[in-house]
Amino acid sequence: MSSVSPAAAPDTVLVVDFGAQYAQLIARRVREARVYSEIVPSTMPVAEMLARNPAAIILSGGPSSVYADGAPSVDRALFEAGVPVFGMCYGFQLMATALGGTVDNTGAREYGGTPLHVSKPGSTLFEGTPTEQSVWMSHGDACSAAPEGFAVSASTDVVPVAAFENDEKKLYGVQYHPEVMHSTHGQQVLEHFLYRGAGLKPSWTTGSVIDEQVAAIREQVGGRRAICGLSGGVDSAVAAALVQKAIGTQLTCVYVDHGLMRKGETEQVEKDFVAATGVQLKVVDAQQRFLDALAGVSDPEEKRKIIGREFIRVFEQAQAEIIAEASATDEPVAFLVQGTLYPDVVESGGGTGAANIKSHHNVGGLPEDLEFELVEPLRQLFKDEVRMVGQELGLPDEIVQRQPFPGPGLGIRIVGAVTRERLDLLREADAIAREELTAAGLDREIWQCPVVLLADVRSVGVQGDGRTYGHPIVLRPVSSEDAMTADWTRMPYDVLGRISTRITNEVADVNRVVLDVTSKPPGTIEWE
């Protein structure tokens, strides 16, 4: 199976990933500066990086010490190729050691918010920023001497060389993480590297994504046909609209009513999406099939894989039906369009050195005997970028601004085995939570609010002067920019109170509503 990634833009910044938890965020920040970026592994040979003709290269942070056995390294040739390079944290230390500077393993550590003292306020990186600013540090080793030809432009109370610059060779580095929001002027410093150091223009837009993807999809699909699975969520809707723009009537969208969707989901897909795009839509009623396949299964990873497998099998059935309905001269349906996003790929172990946190149904849960070639036009994008692409394509806000919803649906919001009764119970609780969030005007403020049924847990309650033994419902409101990290949303108590009161009053067999106040990490956004 294969997929399409965004075609290389004329000015592409390569982010070299040294195992950093923030590598994806660096790429996102570069794109926020309207410069296209791609992530490559640190194991890629320098010659291969340079063969891609990058406009600039950024070296990410990483968990290693430059002195550790087997630690990732970088070929000095990278810094002698004339390509502008910006090192961050570990990447900064690699640049320093490769070019003859000194990095000491002093044991003097800095973690979290740290005061930075800018000694050259007019420098390429720090022009227009305060001489005293807070930055986000995460390191043990420290640079004590810059390489020859580099000017030291910032320090901290612990680190004498916290930033250095070489305008002649267009090489720059900082010890901290400018990509995180806790570095108060980090985005400005990053943009200074891109615009002033590397001489790039802020010209990459969501319109660029659309143009690049339309061309790539047409080249991949040719005159053949494709189907797209609509889940009712933002990702699949934008992916379908993008492919529709590229190949028109060669695309048929398939909406699988697997019985795991939220209340009113099927009707919304049929009404809003078809009205907005005019796409050909085939609705498949597979509720009983999914219930049978999930019967008695409680393990979340197994549930994800079952749902992914059944999705593909239903698509194969839909493919056969679509072909049978078509004329004999039509090309076969050879492609499956999916709304896979970059965080999906990373969490499924698709990033450099990434752990498999959980299989996403459209990444790690696909069967090996998949009969389709994948078209994944959003695979390198983050959620906010996908929303912007959707707006550019003219999709209505009711679709583009919807809170994220997992492909496996409510099946992974039931902790325990999935049954029709449990799904109906959770659907009602979820609908109440969404109604109250909308009424309170919190839809845009909250990234998403998973509602979870603890099906294998019961607790004692009192309702109607009698003892009850019902299930708890968990509310999981979270705020995030890109789903890579998240924090729980501090919702108004009166809104929480209304949601709790309505759920316990209106949903049978629920006598307790609890609030999840865990950030990501350590917890994932979804419970399963």
Side-chain angles (χ1 to χ4, degrees), residues 244-320:
Q244 169 81 1
K245 182 177 178 67
I247 63 175
T249 57
Q250 292 169 242
L251 173 69
T252 299
C253 287
V254 178
Y255 175 75
V256 177
D257 185 2
H258 53 21
L260 306 175
M261 304 306 289
R262 293 175 288 194
K263 190 174 182 179
E265 204 89 60
T266 299
E267 295 78 10
Q268 188 178 50
V269 170
E270 291 184 283
K271 177 174 67 74
D272 294 342
F273 186 75
V274 173
T277 64
V279 74
Q280 301 177 82
L281 178 64
K282 182 180 181 68
V283 178
V284 181
D285 185 352
Q287 296 184 52
Q288 193 59 49
R289 174 176 183 153
F290 278 81
L291 282 172
D292 291 344
L294 291 167
V297 178
S298 296
D299 179 76
E301 188 70 3
E302 187 178 354
K303 282 197 286 189
R304 285 178 177 271
K305 290 185 180 296
I306 288 171
I307 293 169
R309 181 193 70 211
E310 294 302 315
F311 253 105
I312 295 302
R313 297 305 172 230
V314 171
F315 281 128
E316 290 172 343
Q317 179 181 337
Q319 176 198 32

Side-chain angles (χ1 to χ4, degrees), residues 470-493:
H471 297 289
I473 284 287
V474 180
L475 303 179
R476 173 72 165 134
V478 295
S479 300
S480 179
E481 290 184 328
D482 49 35
M484 299 303 298
T485 60
D487 194 13
W488 66 281
T489 304
R490 277 65 171 173
M491 287 173 54
Y493 290 153

Side-chain angles (χ1 to χ4, degrees), residues 177-194:
H177 289 277
E179 71 275 22
V180 304
M181 63 180 181
H182 306 290
S183 292
T184 52
H185 297 275
Q187 184 68 14
Q188 192 173 355
V189 169
L190 174 59
E191 290 179 0
H192 281 345
F193 164 71
L194 296 171

Side-chain angles (χ1 to χ4, degrees), residues 109-362:
R109 300 167 179 262
E110 287 180 314
Y111 294 105
T114 304
L116 182 77
H117 315 302
V118 177
S119 54
K120 292 187 178 299
S123 72
T124 295
L125 292 183
F126 294 104
E127 171 74 29
T129 69
T131 55
E132 300 292 323
Q133 52 190 276
S134 180
V135 298
W136 191 257
M137 290 283 192
S138 180
H139 69 95
D141 299 342
C143 183
S144 58
E148 185 178 351
F150 282 73
V152 177
S153 51
S155 63
T156 73
D157 293 339
V158 173
V159 178
V161 183
F164 55 45
E165 309 179 31
N166 187 323
D167 287 320
E168 181 182 353
K169 295 184 177 180
K170 298 182 178 180
L171 302 177
Y172 305 88
V174 295
Q175 176 59 72
Y176 60 94
H177 289 277
E179 71 275 22
V180 304
M181 63 180 181
H182 306 290
S183 292
T184 52
H185 297 275
Q187 184 68 14
Q188 192 173 355
V189 169
L190 174 59
E191 290 179 0
H192 281 345
F193 164 71
L194 296 171
Y195 305 154
R196 294 157 57 87
L200 301 178
K201 302 296 183 183
S203 59
W204 187 77
T205 64
T206 52
S208 305
V209 175
I210 295 171
D211 293 341
E212 293 159 7
Q213 279 303 304
V214 165
I217 292 164
R218 286 174 178 167
E219 180 179 356
Q220 182 188 19
V221 176
R224 290 172 290 177
R225 300 178 63 191
I227 62 174
C228 175
L230 284 179
S231 69
V234 178
D235 308 336
S236 64
V238 174
L242 193 49
V243 175
Q244 169 81 1
K245 182 177 178 67
I247 63 175
T249 57
Q250 292 169 242
L251 173 69
T252 299
C253 287
V254 178
Y255 175 75
V256 177
D257 185 2
H258 53 21
L260 306 175
M261 304 306 289
R262 293 175 288 194
K263 190 174 182 179
E265 204 89 60
T266 299
E267 295 78 10
Q268 188 178 50
V269 170
E270 291 184 283
K271 177 174 67 74
D272 294 342
F273 186 75
V274 173
T277 64
V279 74
Q280 301 177 82
L281 178 64
K282 182 180 181 68
V283 178
V284 181
D285 185 352
Q287 296 184 52
Q288 193 59 49
R289 174 176 183 153
F290 278 81
L291 282 172
D292 291 344
L294 291 167
V297 178
S298 296
D299 179 76
E301 188 70 3
E302 187 178 354
K303 282 197 286 189
R304 285 178 177 271
K305 290 185 180 296
I306 288 171
I307 293 169
R309 181 193 70 211
E310 294 302 315
F311 253 105
I312 295 302
R313 297 305 172 230
V314 171
F315 281 128
E316 290 172 343
Q317 179 181 337
Q319 176 198 32
E321 293 174 359
I322 291 168
I323 291 173
E325 294 166 0
S327 67
T329 58
D330 278 350
E331 289 288 342
V333 178
F335 298 91
L336 172 62
V337 179
Q338 293 202 132
T340 308
L341 304 192
Y342 197 73
D344 298 338
V345 177
V346 173
E347 288 199 339
S348 295
T352 304
N356 188 347
I357 299 170
K358 57 186 177 184
S359 292
H360 288 262
H361 79 285
N362 51 355

